[in-house]
Amino acid sequence: MKYQTFNEKIIRLVGGKDNVQAVVHCMTRLRFTLKDRSKAQTEELKDLDGVIDVVSNNVAYQVIIGTHVNEVHGELISMLGLTSVTEENQEKAKKNPLKAVMDLLSETMTPVIEPIIASGLLAGFLSLFSITGLISADSPTYQLLDSIRSAVFFFLPIFIAMSCAKRLKASPYLAVALAAVLVSSSINDVAGLSIFGIKLPQMMYANSFIPIILAVWFMGQLTVFLNKYVPKFLQYFLNPLLIMVICLPVTLLVFGPIGIWIGDGIGWFFEVLHNTFGSWIVVMLYAALQPFLIMLGAGNFMMPLALNFVNKMGYDPIFLAAATISDIAVSGAMLGYFLRAKDAKQKQLFGTVSFSALMGVTEPAIYGAFIKFRRPFIAVMIGGGLGGLFAGLMNVKTYSIVWGLMGLPSYADNQDISNLVFMIISVVIGFVGAAIAAFVLGIPQEEQAITKNELEAEAKNQAVDLRKVPLGSVVEGKIVPLAQIKDQAFSTGALGKGIGIIPTSDQVVAPISGEVSAVFPTKHAIGLKTEQGVEVLIHMGIDTVELDGQYFDTIVKQGDKVTKGQLLSTVDFDGIKKAGYDPTVIVVITNTMDYLDVIPAAQEDIFSEDECLTVIL
């Protein structure tokens, strides 16, 4: 581990493992809950290389180490054998049940996508090789390679169990054991089974995912219950046995049937939709609107639905084909902008993101160009919608869980050549339609004007721009010198030079264009990094990490691209004050030592059009 030696010294100086009850972190510091603070060697800890300062107060024992605290904390809790409380706090912050379920499904599917894509692509190429006669479907080579595909999908419940166990507070190994039992030849699709005299329905657990997610959720709840009531000296031996003996019958009697009913319900809904309107409308809408879903962080929501279709019907009639058409339409839209653009830098941007979208990675295009120029969304709605409409009308089927240009061969599975041809036509329609629409719609005039003005300003002020980077105001209010901030880590300048603002507005905006480098789970702090390398920390309030996200509505996430003046968070500062916390917004340049100076604004009051800091390069 990168910080193992550093963490070993911290553990020793806070009084050892046995003295640490809990440890969480915010943007810059580790917050220890110690059983006995007198055992901590505070002065020695302050002198430790890598520690900026130590603050001990009624709130917590705080070790300030800087903005890389997240990496240090991750290794520290592993060495201490503790659970990440920040993860638990993040769970508490998700109060919307529907959002929590969607987040669970999305985050569960993300790590499982890797083997699924591998098996899906392999199935596509094997089908293509079989059609062209390169490999016979009856040959040992074909059957051995095809076993990769069949094994991944047969044992899908095991992958799902491993992926979601930790998030649902269950042991990953017990969750995998339960999944392995469900897909074993003794239970999977076996008729006539019974337990405790109760007859069990014949169930196919292989290839499924809903029953095991429900079962692992129950396992997590049972684990918490047993850890609370079973004596500690018996837990190691007794808890695993009780968990398995209780979870298996409950899964077979309750969660298995519920999971199958949910799957059948999803199938029934889309069957009604198909019989009423035709599935073409869903394919068309998803192909047209997928970029919006990706922008909202819901890009993976279709994966469980596609899996359910493949398990029930042997193919997906909607989502995977629509996703492929949409991705390639994004590439077409960026090609249209590439052909239309005159500025060399813009051409480079559009060409790069067009190629990445063609390969199935659309996030660079969506966050790098779509959000800024807006009209490409319309181009994809036109091109992707037309391609999706054709695919829906031709009843294009996706036989494997795969999408993107490389997955096209899979559409010829089961010797269905016409299906492959219709899919290729759909993709071409989406690509060409979006490219033409983007070229005709063009780059907004205001963006062209901005580019022109920027080039003129660069020509006139190149020498000045090379010497300084101005930061706009993050919030309107009254300026407070950093030395007066009631937090030693900031007031001493240990975390870098900066400024404090007592807010009179509830909107916190980006002081400069760049990338969101960090958003703390409790939403009270945001990190930004500019193209010049300036690292900005925006800390909203003092000790507001304890509010666990209350009063904060932060709308950006790590990795987002933001522009100067863009809204980052809406904060109820009055609520923060009523809760007894200091609402001062602190802005510091955490890599101050890399620059000649950081100069704060001189005026008392600051407004949205003002500058709060100037970084001298």
Short mmCIF file of all heavy atoms in Angstrom, two decimals, residues 513-554:
data_model
loop_
_atom_site.label_atom_id
_atom_site.label_comp_id
_atom_site.label_asym_id
_atom_site.label_seq_id
_atom_site.Cartn_x
_atom_site.Cartn_y
_atom_site.Cartn_z
N SER A 513 -12.93 27.82 -14.67
CA SER A 513 -13.25 26.63 -15.46
C SER A 513 -12.24 25.53 -15.17
O SER A 513 -11.06 25.79 -14.93
CB SER A 513 -13.23 26.97 -16.95
OG SER A 513 -14.19 27.94 -17.27
N GLY A 514 -12.69 24.29 -15.19
CA GLY A 514 -11.80 23.16 -14.94
C GLY A 514 -12.57 21.89 -14.70
O GLY A 514 -13.73 21.75 -15.11
N GLU A 515 -11.94 20.95 -14.02
CA GLU A 515 -12.54 19.64 -13.74
C GLU A 515 -12.79 19.51 -12.24
O GLU A 515 -11.98 19.96 -11.42
CB GLU A 515 -11.61 18.53 -14.20
CG GLU A 515 -12.16 17.12 -13.94
CD GLU A 515 -11.24 16.03 -14.44
OE1 GLU A 515 -10.37 16.33 -15.28
OE2 GLU A 515 -11.39 14.88 -13.97
N VAL A 516 -13.92 18.91 -11.89
CA VAL A 516 -14.22 18.63 -10.48
C VAL A 516 -13.34 17.46 -10.04
O VAL A 516 -13.54 16.33 -10.47
CB VAL A 516 -15.70 18.31 -10.27
CG1 VAL A 516 -15.98 17.99 -8.81
CG2 VAL A 516 -16.57 19.47 -10.74
N SER A 517 -12.36 17.74 -9.20
CA SER A 517 -11.41 16.71 -8.78
C SER A 517 -11.91 15.92 -7.59
O SER A 517 -11.46 14.80 -7.36
CB SER A 517 -10.05 17.34 -8.44
OG SER A 517 -10.19 18.34 -7.44
N ALA A 518 -12.84 16.49 -6.81
CA ALA A 518 -13.35 15.78 -5.64
C ALA A 518 -14.66 16.42 -5.19
O ALA A 518 -14.83 17.64 -5.25
CB ALA A 518 -12.34 15.81 -4.50
N VAL A 519 -15.60 15.57 -4.76
CA VAL A 519 -16.81 16.02 -4.08
C VAL A 519 -16.98 15.12 -2.87
O VAL A 519 -17.15 13.91 -3.01
CB VAL A 519 -18.07 15.93 -4.98
CG1 VAL A 519 -19.31 16.34 -4.19
CG2 VAL A 519 -17.92 16.80 -6.21
N PHE A 520 -16.90 15.70 -1.69
CA PHE A 520 -17.01 14.88 -0.50
C PHE A 520 -18.43 14.34 -0.35
O PHE A 520 -19.39 15.03 -0.70
CB PHE A 520 -16.62 15.69 0.74
CG PHE A 520 -16.39 14.84 1.94
CD1 PHE A 520 -15.31 13.98 1.98
CD2 PHE A 520 -17.25 14.88 3.01
CE1 PHE A 520 -15.09 13.17 3.08
CE2 PHE A 520 -17.04 14.07 4.11
CZ PHE A 520 -15.96 13.21 4.16
N PRO A 521 -18.61 13.09 0.12
CA PRO A 521 -19.96 12.49 0.21
C PRO A 521 -20.96 13.34 0.98
O PRO A 521 -22.15 13.30 0.68
CB PRO A 521 -19.70 11.15 0.92
CG PRO A 521 -18.30 10.81 0.57
CD PRO A 521 -17.57 12.11 0.48
N THR A 522 -20.50 14.10 1.99
CA THR A 522 -21.43 14.94 2.74
C THR A 522 -21.68 16.28 2.06
O THR A 522 -22.35 17.15 2.62
CB THR A 522 -20.90 15.18 4.17
OG1 THR A 522 -19.56 15.64 4.10
CG2 THR A 522 -20.95 13.90 4.98
N LYS A 523 -21.11 16.48 0.87
CA LYS A 523 -21.43 17.58 -0.04
C LYS A 523 -20.97 18.96 0.44
O LYS A 523 -21.31 19.96 -0.17
CB LYS A 523 -22.94 17.63 -0.32
CG LYS A 523 -23.49 16.33 -0.89
CD LYS A 523 -24.98 16.42 -1.14
CE LYS A 523 -25.54 15.11 -1.67
NZ LYS A 523 -27.00 15.19 -1.90
N HIS A 524 -20.21 19.02 1.52
CA HIS A 524 -19.84 20.32 2.08
C HIS A 524 -18.54 20.86 1.50
O HIS A 524 -18.15 21.98 1.82
CB HIS A 524 -19.69 20.20 3.61
CG HIS A 524 -18.43 19.52 4.02
ND1 HIS A 524 -18.22 18.17 3.82
CD2 HIS A 524 -17.29 20.00 4.59
CE1 HIS A 524 -17.01 17.86 4.27
NE2 HIS A 524 -16.43 18.93 4.74
N ALA A 525 -17.86 20.10 0.68
CA ALA A 525 -16.58 20.54 0.13
C ALA A 525 -16.41 20.02 -1.29
O ALA A 525 -16.80 18.89 -1.60
CB ALA A 525 -15.43 20.06 1.01
N ILE A 526 -15.82 20.86 -2.14
CA ILE A 526 -15.64 20.54 -3.56
C ILE A 526 -14.22 20.93 -3.97
O ILE A 526 -13.74 22.00 -3.59
CB ILE A 526 -16.65 21.30 -4.45
CG1 ILE A 526 -18.09 20.93 -4.06
CG2 ILE A 526 -16.42 21.01 -5.92
CD1 ILE A 526 -19.13 21.81 -4.72
N GLY A 527 -13.56 20.07 -4.72
CA GLY A 527 -12.24 20.38 -5.24
C GLY A 527 -12.30 20.58 -6.75
O GLY A 527 -13.01 19.85 -7.45
N LEU A 528 -11.59 21.57 -7.26
CA LEU A 528 -11.51 21.84 -8.69
C LEU A 528 -10.05 21.86 -9.12
O LEU A 528 -9.17 22.21 -8.32
CB LEU A 528 -12.15 23.19 -9.05
CG LEU A 528 -13.62 23.42 -8.68
CD1 LEU A 528 -14.02 24.84 -9.02
CD2 LEU A 528 -14.52 22.43 -9.40
N LYS A 529 -9.79 21.50 -10.37
CA LYS A 529 -8.44 21.60 -10.92
C LYS A 529 -8.54 22.17 -12.32
O LYS A 529 -9.30 21.69 -13.14
CB LYS A 529 -7.75 20.23 -10.95
CG LYS A 529 -6.29 20.31 -11.36
CD LYS A 529 -5.59 18.96 -11.21
CE LYS A 529 -4.12 19.07 -11.57
NZ LYS A 529 -3.41 17.77 -11.41
N THR A 530 -7.75 23.22 -12.60
CA THR A 530 -7.80 23.88 -13.89
C THR A 530 -6.79 23.26 -14.84
O THR A 530 -5.93 22.47 -14.44
CB THR A 530 -7.50 25.38 -13.75
OG1 THR A 530 -6.10 25.55 -13.46
CG2 THR A 530 -8.32 26.00 -12.63
N GLU A 531 -6.88 23.65 -16.12
CA GLU A 531 -5.93 23.16 -17.11
C GLU A 531 -4.51 23.60 -16.80
O GLU A 531 -3.54 22.93 -17.13
CB GLU A 531 -6.33 23.66 -18.51
CG GLU A 531 -7.59 23.01 -19.05
CD GLU A 531 -7.89 23.46 -20.46
OE1 GLU A 531 -7.13 24.31 -20.98
OE2 GLU A 531 -8.87 22.97 -21.04
N GLN A 532 -4.38 24.77 -16.13
CA GLN A 532 -3.04 25.25 -15.74
C GLN A 532 -2.48 24.51 -14.54
O GLN A 532 -1.33 24.72 -14.16
CB GLN A 532 -3.09 26.76 -15.42
CG GLN A 532 -3.50 27.63 -16.59
CD GLN A 532 -4.99 27.96 -16.53
OE1 GLN A 532 -5.79 27.18 -16.03
NE2 GLN A 532 -5.35 29.13 -17.03
N GLY A 533 -3.31 23.66 -13.91
CA GLY A 533 -2.84 22.90 -12.76
C GLY A 533 -3.18 23.52 -11.43
O GLY A 533 -2.78 22.99 -10.38
N VAL A 534 -3.94 24.63 -11.41
CA VAL A 534 -4.32 25.28 -10.15
C VAL A 534 -5.36 24.40 -9.44
O VAL A 534 -6.38 24.04 -10.03
CB VAL A 534 -4.90 26.68 -10.40
CG1 VAL A 534 -5.32 27.33 -9.08
CG2 VAL A 534 -3.89 27.56 -11.12
N GLU A 535 -5.08 24.05 -8.19
CA GLU A 535 -5.97 23.19 -7.41
C GLU A 535 -6.73 24.05 -6.40
O GLU A 535 -6.13 24.66 -5.51
CB GLU A 535 -5.18 22.10 -6.71
CG GLU A 535 -4.49 21.15 -7.69
CD GLU A 535 -3.62 20.12 -7.01
OE1 GLU A 535 -3.60 20.10 -5.76
OE2 GLU A 535 -2.95 19.35 -7.72
N VAL A 536 -8.05 24.09 -6.54
CA VAL A 536 -8.91 24.95 -5.72
C VAL A 536 -9.77 24.09 -4.81
O VAL A 536 -10.41 23.14 -5.27
CB VAL A 536 -9.82 25.84 -6.61
CG1 VAL A 536 -10.61 26.82 -5.75
CG2 VAL A 536 -9.00 26.56 -7.66
N LEU A 537 -9.78 24.42 -3.52
CA LEU A 537 -10.65 23.76 -2.56
C LEU A 537 -11.71 24.74 -2.09
O LEU A 537 -11.38 25.83 -1.59
CB LEU A 537 -9.85 23.23 -1.37
CG LEU A 537 -10.68 22.69 -0.19
CD1 LEU A 537 -11.52 21.50 -0.63
CD2 LEU A 537 -9.79 22.31 0.98
N ILE A 538 -12.98 24.39 -2.25
CA ILE A 538 -14.10 25.21 -1.77
C ILE A 538 -14.72 24.47 -0.60
O ILE A 538 -15.30 23.39 -0.77
CB ILE A 538 -15.14 25.44 -2.89
CG1 ILE A 538 -14.47 26.06 -4.12
CG2 ILE A 538 -16.28 26.30 -2.38
CD1 ILE A 538 -15.37 26.10 -5.34
N HIS A 539 -14.58 25.03 0.60
CA HIS A 539 -15.05 24.39 1.83
C HIS A 539 -16.20 25.22 2.38
O HIS A 539 -16.02 26.35 2.84
CB HIS A 539 -13.90 24.30 2.85
CG HIS A 539 -14.13 23.30 3.93
ND1 HIS A 539 -14.97 23.51 4.99
CD2 HIS A 539 -13.62 22.06 4.11
CE1 HIS A 539 -14.96 22.45 5.78
NE2 HIS A 539 -14.16 21.55 5.26
N MET A 540 -17.43 24.67 2.34
CA MET A 540 -18.64 25.42 2.70
C MET A 540 -18.99 25.21 4.16
O MET A 540 -19.58 24.21 4.54
CB MET A 540 -19.79 24.99 1.78
CG MET A 540 -19.56 25.36 0.33
SD MET A 540 -20.71 24.56 -0.82
CE MET A 540 -19.90 22.97 -1.05
N GLY A 541 -18.57 26.19 5.00
CA GLY A 541 -18.82 26.10 6.43
C GLY A 541 -17.68 25.43 7.17
O GLY A 541 -16.80 24.81 6.57
N ILE A 542 -17.70 25.57 8.49
CA ILE A 542 -16.66 24.99 9.34
C ILE A 542 -17.27 23.85 10.16
O ILE A 542 -18.32 24.01 10.79
CB ILE A 542 -16.07 26.06 10.27
CG1 ILE A 542 -15.38 27.14 9.41
CG2 ILE A 542 -15.08 25.46 11.26
CD1 ILE A 542 -14.89 28.33 10.20
N ASP A 543 -16.63 22.68 10.10
CA ASP A 543 -17.10 21.46 10.78
C ASP A 543 -18.46 21.01 10.26
O ASP A 543 -19.16 20.23 10.91
CB ASP A 543 -17.18 21.66 12.30
CG ASP A 543 -15.80 21.72 12.94
OD1 ASP A 543 -14.87 21.08 12.42
OD2 ASP A 543 -15.65 22.43 13.96
N THR A 544 -18.85 21.45 9.07
CA THR A 544 -20.16 21.08 8.51
C THR A 544 -20.17 19.65 7.99
O THR A 544 -21.22 19.17 7.55
CB THR A 544 -20.55 22.05 7.37
OG1 THR A 544 -19.43 22.24 6.51
CG2 THR A 544 -20.98 23.38 7.94
N VAL A 545 -19.03 18.96 8.03
CA VAL A 545 -19.01 17.54 7.70
C VAL A 545 -19.95 16.76 8.61
O VAL A 545 -20.51 15.73 8.24
CB VAL A 545 -17.57 16.98 7.79
CG1 VAL A 545 -17.05 17.06 9.21
CG2 VAL A 545 -17.50 15.55 7.28
N GLU A 546 -20.13 17.29 9.85
CA GLU A 546 -20.99 16.60 10.82
C GLU A 546 -22.47 16.68 10.46
O GLU A 546 -23.28 15.94 11.03
CB GLU A 546 -20.76 17.21 12.21
CG GLU A 546 -19.32 17.06 12.70
CD GLU A 546 -18.98 18.08 13.77
OE1 GLU A 546 -19.92 18.62 14.38
OE2 GLU A 546 -17.79 18.35 13.96
N LEU A 547 -22.83 17.57 9.54
CA LEU A 547 -24.24 17.69 9.13
C LEU A 547 -24.67 16.58 8.19
O LEU A 547 -25.85 16.44 7.88
CB LEU A 547 -24.47 19.05 8.47
CG LEU A 547 -24.31 20.27 9.39
CD1 LEU A 547 -24.39 21.56 8.58
CD2 LEU A 547 -25.38 20.26 10.48
N ASP A 548 -23.68 15.78 7.72
CA ASP A 548 -23.98 14.60 6.91
C ASP A 548 -24.82 14.92 5.67
O ASP A 548 -25.73 14.19 5.31
CB ASP A 548 -24.69 13.55 7.77
CG ASP A 548 -24.62 12.15 7.14
OD1 ASP A 548 -23.71 11.92 6.32
OD2 ASP A 548 -25.48 11.32 7.47
N GLY A 549 -24.49 16.06 5.03
CA GLY A 549 -25.17 16.41 3.78
C GLY A 549 -26.41 17.25 3.94
O GLY A 549 -26.95 17.75 2.95
N GLN A 550 -26.89 17.42 5.18
CA GLN A 550 -28.08 18.24 5.40
C GLN A 550 -27.77 19.69 5.06
O GLN A 550 -26.70 20.19 5.38
CB GLN A 550 -28.54 18.13 6.86
CG GLN A 550 -29.88 18.77 7.13
CD GLN A 550 -30.33 18.61 8.59
OE1 GLN A 550 -29.57 18.09 9.41
NE2 GLN A 550 -31.52 19.03 8.91
N TYR A 551 -28.70 20.35 4.41
CA TYR A 551 -28.62 21.76 3.98
C TYR A 551 -27.80 21.93 2.69
O TYR A 551 -27.70 23.05 2.20
CB TYR A 551 -28.02 22.66 5.07
CG TYR A 551 -28.72 22.55 6.40
CD1 TYR A 551 -28.04 22.10 7.53
CD2 TYR A 551 -30.07 22.91 6.53
CE1 TYR A 551 -28.69 22.00 8.76
CE2 TYR A 551 -30.72 22.81 7.76
CZ TYR A 551 -30.02 22.35 8.86
OH TYR A 551 -30.65 22.24 10.08
N PHE A 552 -27.21 20.87 2.14
CA PHE A 552 -26.41 20.98 0.92
C PHE A 552 -27.08 20.27 -0.25
O PHE A 552 -27.51 19.12 -0.11
CB PHE A 552 -25.02 20.37 1.13
CG PHE A 552 -24.19 21.06 2.17
CD1 PHE A 552 -24.19 20.63 3.48
CD2 PHE A 552 -23.41 22.15 1.83
CE1 PHE A 552 -23.43 21.26 4.45
CE2 PHE A 552 -22.63 22.79 2.79
CZ PHE A 552 -22.65 22.35 4.10
N ASP A 553 -27.20 20.97 -1.36
CA ASP A 553 -27.70 20.36 -2.59
C ASP A 553 -26.64 20.54 -3.67
O ASP A 553 -26.71 21.43 -4.52
CB ASP A 553 -29.02 21.02 -3.01
CG ASP A 553 -29.62 20.37 -4.26
OD1 ASP A 553 -29.19 19.25 -4.59
OD2 ASP A 553 -30.49 20.99 -4.89
N THR A 554 -25.61 19.69 -3.60
CA THR A 554 -24.49 19.77 -4.54
C THR A 554 -24.84 18.99 -5.80
O THR A 554 -25.21 17.81 -5.73
CB THR A 554 -23.22 19.21 -3.90
OG1 THR A 554 -22.90 20.00 -2.75
CG2 THR A 554 -22.05 19.26 -4.86
#
